C-alpha cells in the first residue's frame, strides 16, 4: 500500500532546537507535497502557536492541535472536530493532582486556543511558546492571562 499521508510532530521532531524549520526540512516537505502526499502537523500546540511554523513549513491544510483535542484547516479555519474534557472531569483531575503533587499549578487553554490563562506561580513563558502573547495580571485574581490582552 503506498504512503498517502505524513503526520508529523513538531517540537523535538520536525523543528530545530530554536523552533525554526531548516531549509532542508522545508525542501523535504515541499517534495512530499509535490509527490501528492498530505503533510499534516500533529502537535500539542494550540492553533495560535502553530501559525508562524505553518508559514515556515508550508502547512496550509489540516492540522491536529492541542494534543489531539481539535483539528482545523489552517487555510480556512474550518474545524474538523473539537473534543475537550468536561468541566467536571477537569475539576476532578485538578483536585487529584493537587492532593498528590505539592505546589502544582494549573493553566487553562480556552476559546479554541485563542486564550491562555495561567495560575500565578507558573514559570515564565518564553515568547516563542506563546506567539504574540502578552503577560498581563488580572487584578484581584490568582490567574494571569498570557494572551489576549484583557480589556
Amino acid at each position: 500500500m503506498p504512503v498517502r499521508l505524513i503526520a508529523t510532530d513538531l517540537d523535538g521532531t520536525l523543528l530545530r532546537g530554536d523552533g525554526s524549520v531548516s531549509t532542508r526540512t522545508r525542501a523535504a516537505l515541499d517534495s512530499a507535497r509535490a509527490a501528492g502526499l498530505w503533510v499534516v502537523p500533529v502537535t500539542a500546540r494550540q492553533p495560535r502557536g502553530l501559525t508562524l511554523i505553518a508559514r515556515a513549513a508550508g502547512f496550509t491544510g489540516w492540522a491536529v492541535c492541542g494534543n489531539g483535542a481539535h483539528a482545523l484547516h489552517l487555510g480556512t479555519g474550518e474545524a474538523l472536530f473539537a473534543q475537550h474534557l468536561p468541566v467536571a472531569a477537569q475539576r476532578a483531575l485538578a483536585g487529584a493532582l493537587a492532593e498528590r503533587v505539592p505546589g502544582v499549578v494549573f493553566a487553562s487553554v480556552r476559546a479554541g486556543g485563542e486564550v491562555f490563562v495561567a495560575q500565578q506561580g507558573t514559570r515564565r513563558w518564553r515568547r516563542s511558546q506563546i506567539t504574540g502573547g502578552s503577560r498581563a495580571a488580572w487584578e484581584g485574581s490568582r490567574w494571569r492571562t498570557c494572551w489576549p490582552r484583557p480589556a
Side-chain angles (χ1 to χ4, degrees):
M1 176 183 280
V3 174
R4 299 185 332 198
L5 179 136
I6 297 171
T8 181
D9 182 36
L10 300 176
D11 299 293
T13 305
L14 185 86
L15 303 177
R16 294 191 285 196
D18 65 359
S20 65
V21 177
S22 73
T23 303
R24 180 178 176 193
T25 298
R26 174 61 191 254
L29 294 170
D30 290 343
S31 293
R33 285 187 283 265
L37 287 109
W38 290 73
V39 181
V40 178
V42 179
T43 180
R45 293 174 182 241
Q46 299 301 313
R48 181 183 201 92
L50 185 55
T51 305
L52 294 175
I53 295 163
R55 276 187 235 129
F59 296 130
T60 58
W62 295 102
V64 179
C65 301
N67 283 322
H70 50 270
L72 74 147
H73 194 279
L74 294 168
T76 66
E78 176 188 357
L80 181 62
F81 67 82
Q83 186 64 47
H84 302 279
L85 287 175
V87 173
Q90 293 175 39
R91 285 189 178 130
L93 176 60
L97 285 169
E99 288 176 9
R100 292 170 179 81
V101 182
V104 68
V105 292
F106 302 96
S108 176
V109 179
R110 302 173 184 174
E114 289 300 314
V115 176
F116 181 91
V117 180
Q119 187 177 357
Q120 286 183 354
T122 55
R123 66 183 175 84
R124 285 276 186 206
W125 297 93
R126 294 190 321 261
R127 185 164 290 279
S128 63
Q129 292 172 299
I130 305 171
T131 305
S134 66
R135 295 181 185 101
W138 282 2
E139 289 188 36
S141 174
R142 58 189 194 111
W143 297 91
R144 63 187 166 93
T145 186
C146 296
W147 78 68
R149 211 172 268 167

